[in-house]
């Protein structure tokens, strides 16, 4: 079954840029049926959607993060990536990548998730 | 943004109990409501999509209902593996938003 795996630094300094990659295995990121997303979860708190990307490169971002976030896709490597600039301690969280799948009548959901990676923002 | 409010925030129950968790949206979202289960240190898992559709492979003791602004997740007979945190999520518009979570603990 298709799997997702996050990778990247676990520690980022304040004001610097957080960069993570999600590698998709046992399946193609270029499928027309799916979008690919990032969700984060601060320690002990709830879930926050960051953004999505389609294999064509079309993106959608949470307005609360739009000025600092970018998501890109590399279909040749079967990967998509997250960049979050000017980070603060408030960006400390477990970052998940996930597949967004569609059902009938445009209903959609996150049906597959990576294991998550903790990113701590600290000097 | 659409605000999703779950109640209760935490719940203690026993194996075999019937449990209901409620999720309320700040505006109508039709049936664009999903439920996830998350265990400590693990990623969320999809249980229910489009308010009442059970994901393949999820035990039938889980069920969802509701439309508009009010939704429920019901576990008909709690099993030991069901003790976890549950989140609702609206997929009606962008940004998609999650409830704050309901932690289900063993009594």
């Amino acid at each position: 079954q298709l799997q997702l795996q996050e990778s990247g630094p676990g520690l980022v300094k304040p004001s610097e840029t957080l960069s993570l990659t999600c590698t998709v295995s046992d399946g193609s990121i270029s499928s027309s049926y799916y979008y690919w997303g990032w969700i984060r979860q601060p320690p002990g708190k709830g879930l926050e959607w960051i953004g999505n990307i389609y294999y064509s490169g079309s993106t959608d971002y949470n307005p609360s993060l739009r000025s600092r976030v970018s998501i890109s896709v590399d279909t040749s490597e079967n990967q998509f990536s997250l960049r979050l600039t000017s980070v603060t301690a408030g960006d400390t969280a477990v970052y998940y990548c996930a597949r967004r799948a569609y059902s009938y009548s445009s209903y959609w959901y996150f049906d597959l998730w990576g294991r998550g990676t903790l990113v701590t923002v600290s000097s | 943004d659409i605000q999703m409010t779950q109640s209760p925030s935490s719940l203690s129950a026993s194996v075999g109990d019937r449990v209901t968790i409620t999720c309320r949206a700040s505006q109508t979202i039709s049936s664009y409501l999903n439920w996830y289960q998350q265990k400590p240190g693990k990623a969320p898992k999809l249980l229910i999509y489009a308010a009442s559709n059970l994901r393949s492979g999820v035990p039938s003791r889980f069920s969802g209902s509701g439309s508009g602004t009010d939704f429920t997740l019901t576990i008909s007979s709690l099993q030991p593996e069901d003790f976890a945190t549950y989140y609702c999520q609206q997929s009606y518009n962008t940004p998609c938003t999650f409830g704050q979570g309901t932690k289900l603990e063993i009594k």
Side-chain angles (χ1 to χ4, degrees), chain A residues 1 39 41 45-49 60-63 66 96 100 103-116, chain B residues 1 30-34 36 38 41-46 49-50 53 55 87 89-92 94-96 98-100:
Chain A
Q1 185 183 353
I39 300 106
Q41 184 172 37
K45 296 189 177 181
L47 299 158
E48 180 182 32
W49 172 70
D60 198 9
Y61 300 130
N62 191 322
R66 182 172 288 137
Y96 295 101
R100 172 172 146 167
S103 179
Y104 61 97
S105 297
S106 76
Y107 293 106
W108 66 262
Y109 39 80
F110 293 111
D111 68 334
L112 289 175
W113 297 63
R115 292 184 175 183
Chain B
D1 298 4
S30 184
S31 296
Y32 290 85
L33 191 283
N34 306 317
Y36 300 85
Q38 186 179 35
K42 302 294 187 181
K45 290 185 177 180
L46 178 69
Y49 63 94
N53 293 265
R55 183 187 187 181
Y87 293 93
Q89 175 241 330
Q90 65 83 13
S91 59
Y92 182 76
T94 297
C96 72
F98 294 83
Q100 82 280 13

Side-chain angles (χ1 to χ4, degrees), chain B residues 19-66:
Chain B
V19 167
T20 297
I21 297 169
T22 297
C23 178
R24 175 165 289 176
S26 61
Q27 67 182 73
T28 184
I29 58 170
S30 184
S31 296
Y32 290 85
L33 191 283
N34 306 317
W35 289 98
Y36 300 85
Q37 176 195 67
Q38 186 179 35
K39 295 182 178 179
K42 302 294 187 181
K45 290 185 177 180
L46 178 69
L47 298 175
I48 302 278
Y49 63 94
S52 61
N53 293 265
L54 190 68
R55 183 187 187 181
S56 176
V58 174
S60 59
R61 61 181 180 273
F62 291 92
S63 64
S65 65

Side-chain angles (χ1 to χ4, degrees), chain A residues 78-94:
Chain A
N78 230 29
Q79 296 175 334
F80 61 106
S81 298
L82 170 70
R83 291 183 77 249
L84 184 65
T85 62
S86 304
V87 297
T88 69
D91 295 309
T92 294
V94 175

